[in-house]
Amino acid sequence: CGGWICKHCGDERNAKYKAEGFDEMYRNKCPLCREQMPIEGDYKEIGTMILKHANKGRAWAQMQLGTWYLRGMNGFALDKQKGLQLLEQAADQRDPDALFMMALAYSGEMLERDESKYMYYLKEAADLGHRDAQQQLAKTYNARRWNNAKEKSLHYFTLAASQGDAEARGMLGHNFMRAECGLTESLVLAKHYSEKYFEDEEEGDPYNNSFPAVNLSYTLYRLGLDRFERIMDIPGHSPIPKSLFWARRALKGDLKVETNDLVIKFISMIETKEKSRCTNCRKEAGSSPLKRCIRCLGAWYCGKECQ
């Protein structure tokens, strides 16, 4: 039917489906008109339905169809002129997805790059609340040397982060840790945003992006130094195990060589210092090495009493 339900209702419906399943009378049917939904992957039927809605002037359908024509996918032959025409029709209706897709098209991804059109459509989509556009615009400003570019970058990273964008959260954590983009250093906020990055396991995957894991490791260590007056081994409050955990996890991802070397040195520095004394009683290791906790790999102990 081409109708819409809000995100809240959609989330509730999905949660109910996972918990209880649907009655047969509702299974694979539209929640609004109760008509049978097309089979997933059957782009012939899906394309026919979308084409019908596009011909009625519905922006979301024009955007979807235009994208398929521009990319020559899902059974639609590559036709950049027709794809661009459909996207423009949807963008004229101020559809955020269409505006963002227009920006991507003019970024050089699908059409010849046009900087002015790229920035225009990207900003239009971002100002309408499109999360991916906000993140993309923030990254674009961050790479530029224009006046107030860093401040604008921070503005759009903040907007994207407020909508749950993992990369934007990671960048805010970095900026607060290093006092960049006009921010005052705040290790508490650096820790907050870096941890927020990993809340979504799919988006915040350290194996795809180790940068926030490095920031979180450094932030936890520095926060421990500041909070406890450089006394790092207060039982139950030591930041060492968590700091080492995130540093080691960062090494499993794709880091630049120089960053990778710094993280290895950071881990070595902490381990060399910590394994010289029992984490609990502070007894020196002496001639026999201390045993390492096999759970956290960030604490060393002298015997069963301290384990």
Side-chain angles (χ1 to χ4, degrees):
C1 65
W4 293 82
I5 58 175
C6 69
K7 184 178 184 301
H8 176 73
C9 291
D11 290 344
E12 278 191 348
R13 187 171 183 270
N14 291 336
K16 183 179 180 181
Y17 175 73
K18 288 180 180 179
E20 307 169 14
F22 288 139
D23 294 337
E24 284 302 319
M25 63 181 297
Y26 299 126
R27 187 179 299 277
N28 297 324
K29 291 184 179 180
C30 172
L32 299 178
C33 68
R34 303 303 184 195
E35 289 295 319
Q36 193 73 27
M37 300 278 276
I39 299 172
E40 186 177 353
D42 184 359
Y43 288 106
K44 185 176 181 180
E45 184 181 359
I46 293 171
T48 301
M49 296 177 75
I50 290 179
L51 182 59
K52 179 182 70 174
H53 290 299
N55 289 335
K56 290 180 179 179
R58 290 177 171 166
W60 67 268
Q62 292 170 337
M63 183 280 302
Q64 191 67 71
L65 204 58
T67 303
W68 289 353
Y69 273 120
L70 270 176
R71 289 179 169 167
M73 59 189 293
N74 297 335
F76 289 83
L78 180 66
D79 189 332
K80 292 186 177 182
Q81 184 177 354
K82 194 169 186 177
L84 186 61
Q85 182 182 4
L86 284 162
L87 280 179
E88 286 175 342
Q89 290 172 1
D92 288 344
Q93 297 183 61
R94 311 290 294 156
D95 181 79
D97 287 327
L99 290 164
F100 181 56
M101 194 54 62
M102 288 288 287
L104 292 183
Y106 282 115
S107 71
E109 184 175 319
M110 290 170 273
L111 300 171
E112 186 177 347
R113 184 173 179 85
D114 187 319
E115 184 71 15
S116 61
K117 288 184 178 180
Y118 165 72
M119 288 299 296
Y120 169 77
Y121 284 114
L122 191 60
K123 190 173 187 305
E124 289 289 298
D127 289 341
L128 284 172
H130 195 287
R131 190 186 80 170
D132 292 341
Q134 291 168 344
Q135 187 244 74
Q136 184 72 21
L137 185 57
K139 289 168 65 177
T140 301
Y141 277 128
N142 196 48
R144 301 293 194 269
R145 295 184 178 181
W146 303 335
N147 290 335
N148 302 320
K150 295 298 182 184
E151 289 77 4
K152 290 178 180 178
S153 172
L154 176 63
H155 171 70
Y156 286 105
F157 270 136
T158 304
L159 290 177
S162 70
Q163 296 196 70
D165 185 87
E167 188 168 350
R169 289 170 169 178
M171 283 304 301
L172 285 177
H174 174 80
N175 290 337
F176 273 113
M177 184 182 76
R178 298 187 177 275
E180 293 181 353
C181 293
L183 291 173
T184 303
E185 181 188 88
S186 173
L187 295 177
V188 173
L189 288 174
K191 174 178 176 289
H192 169 76
Y193 282 111
S194 296
E195 287 178 335
K196 282 283 185 181
Y197 175 90
F198 294 101
E199 278 190 357
D200 189 319
E201 285 299 321
E202 184 177 343
E203 290 195 57
D205 185 352
Y207 301 101
N208 292 331
N209 190 343
S210 298
F211 190 58
V214 175
N215 287 336
L216 185 53
S217 175
Y218 289 171
T219 299
L220 288 167
Y221 186 77
R222 289 180 57 199
L223 203 54
L225 289 174
D226 291 353
R227 279 182 172 173
F228 305 118
E229 298 180 354
R230 308 190 79 80
I231 301 174
M232 301 290 279
D233 299 301
I234 302 174
H237 298 279
S238 174
I240 298 299
K242 282 187 177 181
S243 181
L244 285 175
F245 169 81
W246 288 110
R248 293 187 187 112
R249 218 172 152 181
L251 291 177
K252 296 177 180 178
D254 186 18
L255 290 172
K256 292 181 179 179
V257 175
E258 57 269 26
T259 305
N260 195 80
D261 291 343
L262 287 173
V263 174
I264 291 173
K265 289 179 181 177
F266 177 70
I267 293 173
S268 177
M269 180 269 293
I270 293 178
E271 289 185 344
T272 300
K273 180 180 178 183
E274 292 303 311
K275 67 184 180 183
S276 64
R277 290 176 180 272
C278 174
T279 301
N280 185 50
C281 68
R282 306 307 295 151
K283 178 182 177 182
E284 290 189 6
S287 56
S288 57
L290 300 175
K291 298 177 181 179
R292 175 187 280 192
C293 173
I294 61 172
R295 175 171 292 179
C296 71
L297 301 176
W300 286 259
Y301 58 94
C302 58
K304 288 184 177 180
E305 295 77 11
C306 290
Q307 185 180 6

